[in-house]
PDB file of all heavy atoms in Angstrom:
ATOM      1  N   GLN L1464     253.709 110.404 259.348  1.00  0.00           N
ATOM      2  CA  GLN L1464     254.733 109.489 258.844  1.00  0.00           C
ATOM      3  C   GLN L1464     254.766 109.562 257.322  1.00  0.00           C
ATOM      4  O   GLN L1464     253.812 109.993 256.690  1.00  0.00           O
ATOM      5  CB  GLN L1464     254.402 108.048 259.294  1.00  0.00           C
ATOM      6  CG  GLN L1464     253.135 107.511 258.657  1.00  0.00           C
ATOM      7  CD  GLN L1464     252.522 106.388 259.424  1.00  0.00           C
ATOM      8  OE1 GLN L1464     252.315 106.513 260.611  1.00  0.00           O
ATOM      9  NE2 GLN L1464     252.250 105.295 258.766  1.00  0.00           N
ATOM     10  N   GLY L1465     255.885 109.153 256.765  1.00  0.00           N
ATOM     11  CA  GLY L1465     256.014 109.157 255.302  1.00  0.00           C
ATOM     12  C   GLY L1465     255.288 107.959 254.716  1.00  0.00           C
ATOM     13  O   GLY L1465     254.911 107.027 255.426  1.00  0.00           O
ATOM     14  N   GLN L1466     255.097 107.987 253.418  1.00  0.00           N
ATOM     15  CA  GLN L1466     254.374 106.878 252.787  1.00  0.00           C
ATOM     16  C   GLN L1466     255.185 105.586 252.876  1.00  0.00           C
ATOM     17  O   GLN L1466     254.621 104.510 252.815  1.00  0.00           O
ATOM     18  CB  GLN L1466     254.012 107.214 251.354  1.00  0.00           C
ATOM     19  CG  GLN L1466     255.162 107.271 250.381  1.00  0.00           C
ATOM     20  CD  GLN L1466     254.693 107.667 248.998  1.00  0.00           C
ATOM     21  OE1 GLN L1466     253.691 108.329 248.827  1.00  0.00           O
ATOM     22  NE2 GLN L1466     255.465 107.286 247.991  1.00  0.00           N
ATOM     23  N   ASP L1467     256.517 105.688 253.001  1.00  0.00           N
ATOM     24  CA  ASP L1467     257.317 104.479 253.145  1.00  0.00           C
ATOM     25  C   ASP L1467     256.894 103.704 254.373  1.00  0.00           C
ATOM     26  O   ASP L1467     256.674 102.481 254.324  1.00  0.00           O
ATOM     27  CB  ASP L1467     258.810 104.804 253.174  1.00  0.00           C
ATOM     28  CG  ASP L1467     259.192 105.747 254.308  1.00  0.00           C
ATOM     29  OD1 ASP L1467     258.376 106.607 254.687  1.00  0.00           O
ATOM     30  OD2 ASP L1467     260.338 105.655 254.791  1.00  0.00           O
ATOM     31  N   GLU L1468     256.754 104.390 255.510  1.00  0.00           N
ATOM     32  CA  GLU L1468     256.375 103.711 256.746  1.00  0.00           C
ATOM     33  C   GLU L1468     254.883 103.354 256.715  1.00  0.00           C
ATOM     34  O   GLU L1468     254.492 102.339 257.291  1.00  0.00           O
ATOM     35  CB  GLU L1468     256.717 104.546 257.938  1.00  0.00           C
ATOM     36  CG  GLU L1468     258.216 104.620 258.157  1.00  0.00           C
ATOM     37  CD  GLU L1468     258.608 105.391 259.406  1.00  0.00           C
ATOM     38  OE1 GLU L1468     257.703 105.928 260.085  1.00  0.00           O
ATOM     39  OE2 GLU L1468     259.806 105.448 259.697  1.00  0.00           O
ATOM     40  N   PHE L1469     254.056 104.160 256.101  1.00  0.00           N
ATOM     41  CA  PHE L1469     252.622 103.874 256.048  1.00  0.00           C
ATOM     42  C   PHE L1469     252.361 102.621 255.227  1.00  0.00           C
ATOM     43  O   PHE L1469     251.639 101.728 255.655  1.00  0.00           O
ATOM     44  CB  PHE L1469     251.854 105.055 255.471  1.00  0.00           C
ATOM     45  CG  PHE L1469     250.370 104.789 255.366  1.00  0.00           C
ATOM     46  CD1 PHE L1469     249.558 104.844 256.469  1.00  0.00           C
ATOM     47  CD2 PHE L1469     249.812 104.466 254.145  1.00  0.00           C
ATOM     48  CE1 PHE L1469     248.201 104.592 256.401  1.00  0.00           C
ATOM     49  CE2 PHE L1469     248.439 104.213 254.037  1.00  0.00           C
ATOM     50  CZ  PHE L1469     247.648 104.278 255.177  1.00  0.00           C
ATOM     51  N   TYR L1470     252.911 102.545 254.048  1.00  0.00           N
ATOM     52  CA  TYR L1470     252.616 101.415 253.143  1.00  0.00           C
ATOM     53  C   TYR L1470     253.452 100.169 253.433  1.00  0.00           C
ATOM     54  O   TYR L1470     253.002  99.057 253.264  1.00  0.00           O
ATOM     55  CB  TYR L1470     252.855 101.826 251.677  1.00  0.00           C
ATOM     56  CG  TYR L1470     251.791 102.772 251.180  1.00  0.00           C
ATOM     57  CD1 TYR L1470     252.127 104.094 250.910  1.00  0.00           C
ATOM     58  CD2 TYR L1470     250.490 102.375 251.006  1.00  0.00           C
ATOM     59  CE1 TYR L1470     251.148 104.995 250.457  1.00  0.00           C
ATOM     60  CE2 TYR L1470     249.504 103.260 250.548  1.00  0.00           C
ATOM     61  CZ  TYR L1470     249.850 104.550 250.279  1.00  0.00           C
ATOM     62  OH  TYR L1470     248.888 105.410 249.841  1.00  0.00           O
ATOM     63  N   PHE L1471     254.683 100.359 253.859  1.00  0.00           N
ATOM     64  CA  PHE L1471     255.595  99.210 253.993  1.00  0.00           C
ATOM     65  C   PHE L1471     256.002  98.890 255.432  1.00  0.00           C
ATOM     66  O   PHE L1471     256.656  97.891 255.657  1.00  0.00           O
ATOM     67  CB  PHE L1471     256.871  99.438 253.171  1.00  0.00           C
ATOM     68  CG  PHE L1471     256.594  99.724 251.738  1.00  0.00           C
ATOM     69  CD1 PHE L1471     256.873 100.971 251.199  1.00  0.00           C
ATOM     70  CD2 PHE L1471     256.046  98.769 250.911  1.00  0.00           C
ATOM     71  CE1 PHE L1471     256.625 101.265 249.874  1.00  0.00           C
ATOM     72  CE2 PHE L1471     255.783  99.034 249.579  1.00  0.00           C
ATOM     73  CZ  PHE L1471     256.077 100.277 249.068  1.00  0.00           C
ATOM     74  N   ALA L1472     255.703  99.773 256.375  1.00  0.00           N
ATOM     75  CA  ALA L1472     256.097  99.613 257.784  1.00  0.00           C
ATOM     76  C   ALA L1472     257.617  99.589 257.925  1.00  0.00           C
ATOM     77  O   ALA L1472     258.142  99.037 258.862  1.00  0.00           O
ATOM     78  CB  ALA L1472     255.479  98.394 258.404  1.00  0.00           C
ATOM     79  N   LEU L1473     258.329 100.169 256.952  1.00  0.00           N
ATOM     80  CA  LEU L1473     259.788 100.254 257.006  1.00  0.00           C
ATOM     81  C   LEU L1473     260.218 101.635 256.517  1.00  0.00           C
ATOM     82  O   LEU L1473     259.738 102.104 255.502  1.00  0.00           O
ATOM     83  CB  LEU L1473     260.427  99.217 256.075  1.00  0.00           C
ATOM     84  CG  LEU L1473     260.420  97.772 256.499  1.00  0.00           C
ATOM     85  CD1 LEU L1473     261.015  96.915 255.376  1.00  0.00           C
ATOM     86  CD2 LEU L1473     261.195  97.549 257.762  1.00  0.00           C
ATOM     87  N   PRO L1474     261.199 102.254 257.210  1.00  0.00           N
ATOM     88  CA  PRO L1474     261.801 103.482 256.671  1.00  0.00           C
ATOM     89  C   PRO L1474     262.613 103.150 255.403  1.00  0.00           C
ATOM     90  O   PRO L1474     262.976 102.000 255.172  1.00  0.00           O
ATOM     91  CB  PRO L1474     262.715 103.950 257.804  1.00  0.00           C
ATOM     92  CG  PRO L1474     262.272 103.234 258.996  1.00  0.00           C
ATOM     93  CD  PRO L1474     261.658 101.938 258.538  1.00  0.00           C
ATOM     94  N   GLN L1477     265.863 100.921 255.499  1.00  0.00           N
ATOM     95  CA  GLN L1477     265.619  99.481 255.632  1.00  0.00           C
ATOM     96  C   GLN L1477     264.961  98.917 254.370  1.00  0.00           C
ATOM     97  O   GLN L1477     265.256  97.806 253.957  1.00  0.00           O
ATOM     98  CB  GLN L1477     264.765  99.209 256.858  1.00  0.00           C
ATOM     99  CG  GLN L1477     265.465  99.591 258.140  1.00  0.00           C
ATOM    100  CD  GLN L1477     264.539  99.532 259.337  1.00  0.00           C
ATOM    101  OE1 GLN L1477     263.498  98.934 259.287  1.00  0.00           O
ATOM    102  NE2 GLN L1477     264.940 100.192 260.405  1.00  0.00           N
ATOM    103  N   MET L1478     264.098  99.705 253.765  1.00  0.00           N
ATOM    104  CA  MET L1478     263.446  99.246 252.536  1.00  0.00           C
ATOM    105  C   MET L1478     264.481  99.063 251.419  1.00  0.00           C
ATOM    106  O   MET L1478     264.349  98.112 250.614  1.00  0.00           O
ATOM    107  CB  MET L1478     262.375 100.261 252.095  1.00  0.00           C
ATOM    108  CG  MET L1478     261.608  99.828 250.868  1.00  0.00           C
ATOM    109  SD  MET L1478     260.780  98.259 250.992  1.00  0.00           S
ATOM    110  CE  MET L1478     259.499  98.668 252.145  1.00  0.00           C
ATOM    111  N   THR L1530     259.920  92.809 264.475  1.00  0.00           N
ATOM    112  CA  THR L1530     259.798  94.259 264.507  1.00  0.00           C
ATOM    113  C   THR L1530     259.955  94.869 265.919  1.00  0.00           C
ATOM    114  O   THR L1530     259.700  96.038 266.088  1.00  0.00           O
ATOM    115  CB  THR L1530     258.416  94.678 263.945  1.00  0.00           C
ATOM    116  OG1 THR L1530     257.399  94.049 264.722  1.00  0.00           O
ATOM    117  CG2 THR L1530     258.291  94.299 262.474  1.00  0.00           C
ATOM    118  N   THR L1572     264.024  94.422 262.067  1.00  0.00           N
ATOM    119  CA  THR L1572     263.822  95.643 261.336  1.00  0.00           C
ATOM    120  C   THR L1572     264.225  96.885 262.103  1.00  0.00           C
ATOM    121  O   THR L1572     264.444  97.926 261.498  1.00  0.00           O
ATOM    122  CB  THR L1572     262.375  95.778 260.867  1.00  0.00           C
ATOM    123  OG1 THR L1572     261.504  95.781 262.004  1.00  0.00           O
ATOM    124  CG2 THR L1572     261.986  94.639 259.950  1.00  0.00           C
TER     125      THR L1572
END
Side-chain angles (χ1 to χ4, degrees):
Q1464 67 202 51
Q1466 70 182 26
D1467 58 329
E1468 291 183 356
F1469 178 78
Y1470 290 110
F1471 304 113
L1473 286 175
Q1477 295 171 17
M1478 182 58 70
T1530 58
T1572 60

